[in-house]
PDB file of all heavy atoms in Angstrom:
ATOM      1  N   ARG A 194      27.349  12.101  18.938  1.00 97.00           N
ATOM      2  CA  ARG A 194      28.666  11.856  19.455  1.00 97.00           C
ATOM      3  C   ARG A 194      29.639  11.299  18.454  1.00 97.00           C
ATOM      4  O   ARG A 194      30.859  11.776  18.366  1.00 97.00           O
ATOM      5  CB  ARG A 194      28.513  10.902  20.638  1.00 97.00           C
ATOM      6  CG  ARG A 194      29.899  10.446  21.330  1.00 97.00           C
ATOM      7  CD  ARG A 194      29.610   9.482  22.449  1.00 97.00           C
ATOM      8  NE  ARG A 194      29.074   8.228  21.952  1.00 97.00           N
ATOM      9  CZ  ARG A 194      27.896   7.758  22.185  1.00 97.00           C
ATOM     10  NH1 ARG A 194      27.029   8.609  22.782  1.00 97.00           N
ATOM     11  NH2 ARG A 194      27.518   6.659  21.628  1.00 97.00           N
ATOM     12  N   SER A 195      29.183  10.488  17.581  1.00 97.00           N
ATOM     13  CA  SER A 195      30.040   9.762  16.737  1.00 97.00           C
ATOM     14  C   SER A 195      29.495   9.619  15.246  1.00 97.00           C
ATOM     15  O   SER A 195      30.125   8.839  14.507  1.00 97.00           O
ATOM     16  CB  SER A 195      30.373   8.245  17.247  1.00 97.00           C
ATOM     17  OG  SER A 195      29.130   7.574  17.397  1.00 97.00           O
ATOM     18  N   ASN A 196      28.532  10.401  14.905  1.00 98.00           N
ATOM     19  CA  ASN A 196      27.939  10.308  13.526  1.00 98.00           C
ATOM     20  C   ASN A 196      27.571   8.891  13.139  1.00 98.00           C
ATOM     21  O   ASN A 196      27.632   8.521  12.011  1.00 98.00           O
ATOM     22  CB  ASN A 196      28.961  10.882  12.553  1.00 98.00           C
ATOM     23  CG  ASN A 196      29.226  12.388  12.638  1.00 98.00           C
ATOM     24  OD1 ASN A 196      28.336  13.067  13.009  1.00 98.00           O
ATOM     25  ND2 ASN A 196      30.505  12.790  12.479  1.00 98.00           N
ATOM     26  N   GLN A 197      26.977   8.115  14.037  1.00 98.00           N
ATOM     27  CA  GLN A 197      26.474   6.854  13.752  1.00 98.00           C
ATOM     28  C   GLN A 197      25.016   6.677  14.314  1.00 98.00           C
ATOM     29  O   GLN A 197      24.612   7.096  15.378  1.00 98.00           O
ATOM     30  CB  GLN A 197      27.410   5.855  14.563  1.00 98.00           C
ATOM     31  CG  GLN A 197      28.765   5.704  14.199  1.00 98.00           C
ATOM     32  CD  GLN A 197      29.563   4.702  14.909  1.00 98.00           C
ATOM     33  OE1 GLN A 197      29.244   4.409  16.092  1.00 98.00           O
ATOM     34  NE2 GLN A 197      30.670   4.112  14.270  1.00 98.00           N
ATOM     35  N   LEU A 198      24.221   6.063  13.421  1.00 98.00           N
ATOM     36  CA  LEU A 198      22.898   5.686  13.720  1.00 98.00           C
ATOM     37  C   LEU A 198      22.986   4.270  14.353  1.00 98.00           C
ATOM     38  O   LEU A 198      22.975   3.278  13.597  1.00 98.00           O
ATOM     39  CB  LEU A 198      21.905   5.665  12.487  1.00 98.00           C
ATOM     40  CG  LEU A 198      20.499   5.346  12.590  1.00 98.00           C
ATOM     41  CD1 LEU A 198      19.840   6.312  13.656  1.00 98.00           C
ATOM     42  CD2 LEU A 198      19.863   5.390  11.313  1.00 98.00           C
ATOM     43  N   ALA A 199      23.166   4.269  15.676  1.00 98.00           N
ATOM     44  CA  ALA A 199      23.513   2.966  16.308  1.00 98.00           C
ATOM     45  C   ALA A 199      22.280   2.354  16.977  1.00 98.00           C
ATOM     46  O   ALA A 199      21.893   2.798  17.978  1.00 98.00           O
ATOM     47  CB  ALA A 199      24.592   3.197  17.282  1.00 98.00           C
ATOM     48  N   LEU A 200      21.677   1.367  16.187  1.00 98.00           N
ATOM     49  CA  LEU A 200      20.556   0.748  16.660  1.00 98.00           C
ATOM     50  C   LEU A 200      20.620  -0.794  16.239  1.00 98.00           C
ATOM     51  O   LEU A 200      21.210  -1.132  15.407  1.00 98.00           O
ATOM     52  CB  LEU A 200      19.279   1.315  16.006  1.00 98.00           C
ATOM     53  CG  LEU A 200      18.881   2.739  16.377  1.00 98.00           C
ATOM     54  CD1 LEU A 200      17.940   3.326  15.526  1.00 98.00           C
ATOM     55  CD2 LEU A 200      18.443   2.729  17.894  1.00 98.00           C
ATOM     56  N   PRO A 201      19.883  -1.597  17.184  1.00 98.00           N
ATOM     57  CA  PRO A 201      19.908  -3.040  16.815  1.00 98.00           C
ATOM     58  C   PRO A 201      18.774  -3.492  15.953  1.00 98.00           C
ATOM     59  O   PRO A 201      17.940  -4.361  16.370  1.00 98.00           O
ATOM     60  CB  PRO A 201      19.737  -3.635  18.340  1.00 98.00           C
ATOM     61  CG  PRO A 201      18.817  -2.616  18.940  1.00 98.00           C
ATOM     62  CD  PRO A 201      19.239  -1.241  18.342  1.00 98.00           C
ATOM     63  N   MET A 202      18.754  -2.960  14.797  1.00 97.00           N
ATOM     64  CA  MET A 202      17.671  -3.173  13.892  1.00 97.00           C
ATOM     65  C   MET A 202      17.796  -4.105  12.756  1.00 97.00           C
ATOM     66  O   MET A 202      17.035  -4.310  11.957  1.00 97.00           O
ATOM     67  CB  MET A 202      17.160  -1.820  13.324  1.00 97.00           C
ATOM     68  CG  MET A 202      16.956  -0.700  14.381  1.00 97.00           C
ATOM     69  SD  MET A 202      15.448  -1.022  15.350  1.00 97.00           S
ATOM     70  CE  MET A 202      14.211  -0.290  14.240  1.00 97.00           C
ATOM     71  N   GLY A 203      19.085  -4.797  12.673  1.00 97.00           N
ATOM     72  CA  GLY A 203      19.464  -5.573  11.579  1.00 97.00           C
ATOM     73  C   GLY A 203      19.357  -5.047  10.220  1.00 97.00           C
ATOM     74  O   GLY A 203      19.585  -3.740  10.045  1.00 97.00           O
ATOM     75  N   THR A 204      18.898  -5.733   9.308  1.00 97.00           N
ATOM     76  CA  THR A 204      18.776  -5.304   7.855  1.00 97.00           C
ATOM     77  C   THR A 204      17.251  -5.228   7.455  1.00 97.00           C
ATOM     78  O   THR A 204      16.997  -4.970   6.374  1.00 97.00           O
ATOM     79  CB  THR A 204      19.459  -6.301   6.908  1.00 97.00           C
ATOM     80  OG1 THR A 204      18.901  -7.613   7.064  1.00 97.00           O
ATOM     81  CG2 THR A 204      20.992  -6.297   7.173  1.00 97.00           C
ATOM     82  N   GLY A 205      16.403  -5.321   8.468  1.00 97.00           N
ATOM     83  CA  GLY A 205      14.968  -5.272   8.165  1.00 97.00           C
ATOM     84  C   GLY A 205      14.543  -3.817   7.784  1.00 97.00           C
ATOM     85  O   GLY A 205      15.178  -2.806   8.083  1.00 97.00           O
ATOM     86  N   LYS A 206      13.517  -3.770   7.075  1.00 98.00           N
ATOM     87  CA  LYS A 206      12.894  -2.415   6.514  1.00 98.00           C
ATOM     88  C   LYS A 206      11.864  -2.017   7.610  1.00 98.00           C
ATOM     89  O   LYS A 206      11.147  -2.877   8.268  1.00 98.00           O
ATOM     90  CB  LYS A 206      12.383  -2.519   5.209  1.00 98.00           C
ATOM     91  CG  LYS A 206      13.331  -2.778   4.147  1.00 98.00           C
ATOM     92  CD  LYS A 206      12.640  -2.787   2.827  1.00 98.00           C
ATOM     93  CE  LYS A 206      13.832  -3.024   1.707  1.00 98.00           C
ATOM     94  NZ  LYS A 206      13.203  -2.986   0.297  1.00 98.00           N
TER      95      LYS A 206
END
Side-chain angles (χ1 to χ4, degrees):
R194 182 180 62 252
S195 56
N196 292 325
Q197 293 180 335
L198 181 59
L200 291 168
M202 308 288 275
T204 59
K206 294 182 177 181

